[in-house]
């Protein structure tokens, strides 16, 4: 063994030409060791790491090669490596030493106004639920007209199944999905087809099981701030800050990921001089080619773009307002939205609805929410009809057009609206054919923790009118049951059969029109978009200096009239001349 300096690229195991260097930051441990295992997880030997300055321990071992299994030992206690690059036995087990890699990003990414994002969960996107099996579906996405695939988080989390937003080992891919090389193959395959890849990352909290960071150093976490998920990361501490910045760089450089979507950025607390979000966007923007960074942020604040550097924000006002118009539901956060079309028109014209008005739902509870959206480009706002949250956070994971959901005529009409708008559209896997499979909340946590999650899921809906009856509440699927997970897997066999094929044709046609139409394919600003309600009809107008297009979306049952002489470019149903049938959409060239 020889002693070397600390690795400024991070902690954990670093494979080199002359062996492997292990670096640990542990502020409480007096003795730190690394323990090696064979493939049956039998101990081979234990070696001591030598203390350096600032609570760093380092050891270099010339005979430790790629593939070696190890755990760190802190004052005699075996402790998994939170910086591990591979955890083949899960987050509680030994890590594997892997080589660094460099994968290129997509060289020619479409401009943001041309993006169509397709969000998918690797574990339920296919029957196999792996990176490799997802490759087999990429040609279907190309045929659909998808430019960007967004992967829900793939960082390792406890258990075999879950959404991924409770990751604890941020550098290791979840082993049920495959190996790091399998993820690289998926990204390469997407790039070969001209599809960019976004990755969801979670930096606002760590999962409740398998988070060993505090065992190394309590300083990773804040003593002043808590979140709904527990103690908050302490971004005033350089080590925590370095962890997430290094992690962002890792996904972008080592896997060729083309951009990141940062989860719940409104829950990232940082009083540092330079906010960690600014540092994360700077890292991505300074790469060649430049990588994109999106925030999931509920604050409706233009500072997310200017001061913090976001390329785009998940703008949920559109989804929430449209959902209330379509369903009339007012539970939870939907209580802040009205049922009428005028607010939907105002949302579209402004980009987001709340610009300082009181917001009735949590967490504002009547306090003002948001700031004026002037100057925000439409393509920087990600709109959707549904996403993993808006489906999966429903008690039964029911989709907008599920078995008991929206009629397909109305569904096709609002899908056409989404793809007509200049905002960046996001599709959730399977929505393009109105998949009947739910997307439920599922996890795989042992013992009391799993039981608490199951009980908490039912308590979450206790205030909802539909679940006031305890017997009904007990029918909510248990997140810990394996069937809750397997029921959420897409059934690809249904997409080409009636009535799903009709829905798929609407999506394909609209995505083609979005690429080819001289108005829909070009970038515009909010001043070139207008929207109004005419009774049960929503009218949205887009214009360029040379041309314009108008969509009429009829939410009622009775026909509505089109302007005389309007030329129909696309309609979701057979139209009588100069008519918009009920529950349909018509795009016209005025």
């Amino acid at each position: 063994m020889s002693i070397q300096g600390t690795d400024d690229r991070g902690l954990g195991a670093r494979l080199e030409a002359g062996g492997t260097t292990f670096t640990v930051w542990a502020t409480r441990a007096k003795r730190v060791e690394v323990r090696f295992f064979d493939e049956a997880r039998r101990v081979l030997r234990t070696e001591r790491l030598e203390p350096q300055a600032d609570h760093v321990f380092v050891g270099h071992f010339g005979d430790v090669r790629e593939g070696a299994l190890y755990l760190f030992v802190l004052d005699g206690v075996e402790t998994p490596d939170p910086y591990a690059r591979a955890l083949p036995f899960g987050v509680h087990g030994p890590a594997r030493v892997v080589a660094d890699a460099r994968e290129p990003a997509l060289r020619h990414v479409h401009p943001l106004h041309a993006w169509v994002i397709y969000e998918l969960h690797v574990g339920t996107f296919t029957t196999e639920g792996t990176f490799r099996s997802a490759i087999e579906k990429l040609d279907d996405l190309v045929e659909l007209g998808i430019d960007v695939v967004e992967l829900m988080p793939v960082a390792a989390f406890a258990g075999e199944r879950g959404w991924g937003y409770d990751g604890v080992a941020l550098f290791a891919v979840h082993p049920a999905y495959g190996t790091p090389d399998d993820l690289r193959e998926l990204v390469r395959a997407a790039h070969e087809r001209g599809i960019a890849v976004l990755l969801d990352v979670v930096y606002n909290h760590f999962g409740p099981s398998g988070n060993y960071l505090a065992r190394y150093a309590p300083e990773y976490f804040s003593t002043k701030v808590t979140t709904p998920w527990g103690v908050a990361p302490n971004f005033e501490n350089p080590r925590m800050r370095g962890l997430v910045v290094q992690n962002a760089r890792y996904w972008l450089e080592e896997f060729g990921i083309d951009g990141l979507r940062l989860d719940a950025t409104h829950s990232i607390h940082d009083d540092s001089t330079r906010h960690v979000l600014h540092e994360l966007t700077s890292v991505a923007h300074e790469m060649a080619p430049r990588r994109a960074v999106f925030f999931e942020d509920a604050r409706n604040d233009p500072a997310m773009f200017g001061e913090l550097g976001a390329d785009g924000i998940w703008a949920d006002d559109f989804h929430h307002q449209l959902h209330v118009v379509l369903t009339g539901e007012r539970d939870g956060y939907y209580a802040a939205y009205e049922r009428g079309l005028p607010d939907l028109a105002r949302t579209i014209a402004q980009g987001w609805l709340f610009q300082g008005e009181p917001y009735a739902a949590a967490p504002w509870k009547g306090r003002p929410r948001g700031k004026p959206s002037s100057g925000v480009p439409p393509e920087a706002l990600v709109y959707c009809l549904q996403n993993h949250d808006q489906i999966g956070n429903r008690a039964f994971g029911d989709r907008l057009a599920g078995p008991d959901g929206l009629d397909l005529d109305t569904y096709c009409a609002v899908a056409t609206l989404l793809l007509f708008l200049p905002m960046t559209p996001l599709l959730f896997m399977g929505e393009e054919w109105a998949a009947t499979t739910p997307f439920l909340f599922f996890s795989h946590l042992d013992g009391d923790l799993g039981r608490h999650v199951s009980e908490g899921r039912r308590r979450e809906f206790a205030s909802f009118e539909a679940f006031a009856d305890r017997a009904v509440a007990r029918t909510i699927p248990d997140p810990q049951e394996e069937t809750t997970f397997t029921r959420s897997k897409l059934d690809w066999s249904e997409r080409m059969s009636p009535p799903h094929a009709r829905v798929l044709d609407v999506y394909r046609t609209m995505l083609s029109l979005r690429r080819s139409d001289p108005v829909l394919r070009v970038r515009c600003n909010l001043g070139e978009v207008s929207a109004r309600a005419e009774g049960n009809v929503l009218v949205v107008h887009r214009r360029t200096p040379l041309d314009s297009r108008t969509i009429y979306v009829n939410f009622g049952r009775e026909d509505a009239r089109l302007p005389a002489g309007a030329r129909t470019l696309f309609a979701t149903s057979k139209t009588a001349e100069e008519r918009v049938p009920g529950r349909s959409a018509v795009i016209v060239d005025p």
Side-chain angles (χ1 to χ4, degrees):
M1 183 192 81
S2 62
I3 305 301
Q4 297 183 352
T6 60
D7 175 14
D8 60 5
R9 288 183 293 173
L11 304 174
R14 176 184 165 192
L15 185 68
E16 301 163 327
T20 301
T21 297
F22 295 89
T23 309
V24 170
W25 183 59
T27 60
R28 300 295 188 269
K30 304 300 183 185
R31 181 184 179 94
V32 177
E33 299 163 298
V34 58
R35 181 165 292 161
F36 299 105
F37 299 80
D38 64 16
E39 291 297 322
R41 287 188 274 179
R42 295 174 298 217
V43 176
L44 295 174
R45 73 182 201 268
T46 302
E47 299 281 357
R48 185 171 181 173
L49 305 185
E50 295 299 329
Q52 311 289 294
D54 190 29
H55 306 288
V56 172
F57 297 78
V58 181
H60 178 80
F61 305 92
D63 61 343
V64 176
R65 304 296 184 186
E66 184 173 4
L69 294 172
Y70 70 94
L71 283 168
F72 291 123
V73 184
L74 308 182
D75 289 337
V77 179
E78 289 186 350
T79 309
D81 178 10
Y83 289 83
R85 265 47 175 179
L87 290 164
F89 305 103
V91 298
H92 303 293
R96 190 181 299 284
V97 174
V98 297
D100 290 342
R102 281 292 180 98
E103 289 291 330
L106 190 62
R107 298 300 304 182
H108 303 291
V109 178
H110 293 307
L112 183 54
H113 75 265
W115 280 24
V116 178
I117 302 173
Y118 190 94
E119 183 189 26
L120 67 88
H121 176 269
V122 173
T124 55
F125 183 56
T126 63
T127 302
E128 299 83 359
T130 63
F131 297 126
R132 295 276 181 174
S133 63
I135 294 173
E136 300 170 10
K137 303 299 183 185
L138 291 178
D139 288 335
D140 293 305
L141 300 187
V142 171
E143 185 181 10
L144 176 62
I146 296 302
D147 307 289
V148 183
V149 165
E150 178 196 338
L151 303 178
M152 289 171 62
V154 301
F157 54 86
E160 296 179 4
R161 53 191 180 269
W163 281 12
Y165 294 92
D166 53 354
V168 290
L170 301 189
F171 295 87
V173 300
H174 185 56
Y177 300 158
T179 67
D181 283 341
D182 291 338
L183 175 58
R184 291 186 179 95
E185 285 296 324
L186 172 58
V187 176
R188 285 189 204 118
H191 288 172
E192 288 168 1
R193 293 161 173 81
I195 296 176
V197 180
L198 287 181
L199 179 66
D200 275 18
V201 291
V202 184
Y203 298 144
N204 61 85
H205 73 283
F206 286 75
S209 178
N211 177 15
Y212 292 98
L213 279 170
R215 191 178 291 183
Y216 287 83
E219 292 85 353
Y220 277 114
F221 297 96
S222 173
T223 58
K224 300 179 292 185
V225 180
T226 59
T227 74
W229 308 277
V231 293
N234 178 16
F235 289 112
E236 296 177 53
N237 183 288
R239 290 291 184 182
M240 176 56 82
R241 196 180 192 89
L243 185 155
V244 300
V245 172
Q246 180 195 356
N247 182 251
R249 187 181 295 278
Y250 170 73
W251 295 117
L252 298 173
E253 289 186 340
E254 293 219 7
F255 293 89
I257 299 292
D258 304 290
L260 302 173
R261 183 262 196 187
L262 308 186
D263 182 63
T265 50
H266 49 264
S267 294
I268 290 179
H269 303 276
D270 183 9
D271 294 328
S272 304
T273 304
R274 188 187 191 203
H275 200 289
V276 68
L277 291 177
H278 186 197
E279 192 165 352
L280 288 165
T281 57
S282 297
V283 164
H285 293 166
E286 290 165 6
M287 290 184 176
R290 182 184 187 277
R291 317 300 169 88
V293 180
F294 292 84
F295 294 176
E296 181 201 21
D297 203 290
R299 288 174 288 190
N300 288 9
D301 188 348
M304 298 298 105
F305 302 101
E307 295 175 22
L308 298 180
D311 295 284
I313 290 179
W314 262 237
D316 282 346
D317 277 352
F318 173 78
H319 170 274
H320 296 351
Q321 183 61 58
L322 179 62
H323 189 90
V324 170
V325 167
L326 293 172
T327 69
E329 294 179 9
R330 300 295 302 282
D331 284 320
Y333 44 71
Y334 294 130
Y337 299 83
E338 300 297 331
R339 290 188 171 93
L341 286 181
D343 276 357
L344 180 58
R346 191 156 61 93
T347 302
I348 292 168
Q350 297 179 164
W352 54 56
L353 180 59
F354 287 89
Q355 307 206 17
E357 298 85 353
Y359 188 84
W364 286 272
K365 297 181 180 178
R367 291 180 287 109
R369 174 191 168 208
K371 295 179 181 178
S373 57
S374 56
V376 175
E379 69 270 19
L381 303 174
V382 178
Y383 274 16
C384 70
L385 300 183
Q386 47 203 331
N387 59 33
H388 75 274
D389 270 333
Q390 309 309 337
I391 301 172
N393 285 331
R394 298 176 67 78
F396 297 104
D398 47 311
R399 294 169 177 262
L400 189 59
D404 300 316
L406 206 62
D407 65 274
L408 290 187
D409 287 338
T410 306
Y411 183 73
C412 288
V414 295
T416 301
L417 170 65
L418 173 72
L419 298 176
F420 174 88
L421 297 175
M423 291 73 175
T424 297
L426 177 141
L427 315 184
F428 183 67
M429 59 178 197
E431 82 165 66
E432 71 272 23
W433 74 79
T436 60
T437 48
F439 185 73
L440 295 155
F441 177 70
F442 49 82
S443 59
H444 184 213
L445 300 169
D446 294 330
D448 288 343
L449 183 56
R451 179 171 53 79
H452 290 324
V453 169
S454 298
E455 292 172 352
R457 180 69 171 168
R458 293 195 168 95
R459 284 196 303 271
E460 184 179 344
F461 295 99
S463 62
F464 286 47
E465 184 178 347
F467 301 102
D469 186 330
R470 289 187 178 181
V472 176
R474 283 195 292 271
T475 65
I476 297 173
D478 184 346
Q480 304 310 311
E481 292 290 340
E482 186 174 6
T483 54
T484 305
F485 168 64
T486 56
R487 286 176 56 203
S488 300
K489 289 179 178 283
L490 283 180
D491 178 5
W492 283 81
S493 68
E494 66 183 9
R495 65 195 289 269
M496 300 306 294
S497 61
H500 304 286
R502 173 204 167 192
V503 178
L504 183 60
D505 184 62
V506 168
Y507 273 84
R508 285 176 173 168
T509 302
M510 277 304 301
L511 289 173
S512 176
L513 196 63
R514 192 178 174 92
R515 293 191 300 271
S516 61
D517 183 83
V519 175
L520 303 190
R521 74 186 181 196
V522 300
R523 184 186 179 278
C524 70
N525 57 53
L526 284 176
E528 296 169 319
V529 181
S530 62
R532 67 184 186 274
E534 296 181 353
N536 290 324
V537 179
L538 177 72
V539 183
V540 182
H541 187 69
R542 288 185 60 174
R543 67 180 185 275
T544 70
L546 301 177
D547 211 342
S548 66
R549 299 286 183 265
T550 303
I551 185 171
Y552 295 82
V553 186
N554 189 347
F555 288 84
R557 295 177 180 273
E558 303 298 325
D559 288 2
R561 293 191 64 82
L562 283 172
R567 181 173 66 95
T568 297
L569 299 178
F570 177 71
T572 58
S573 65
K574 294 180 180 179
T575 62
E577 190 173 350
E578 298 183 353
R579 296 279 179 178
V580 185
R583 299 178 178 179
S584 75
V586 179
I587 299 173
V588 301
D589 176 2

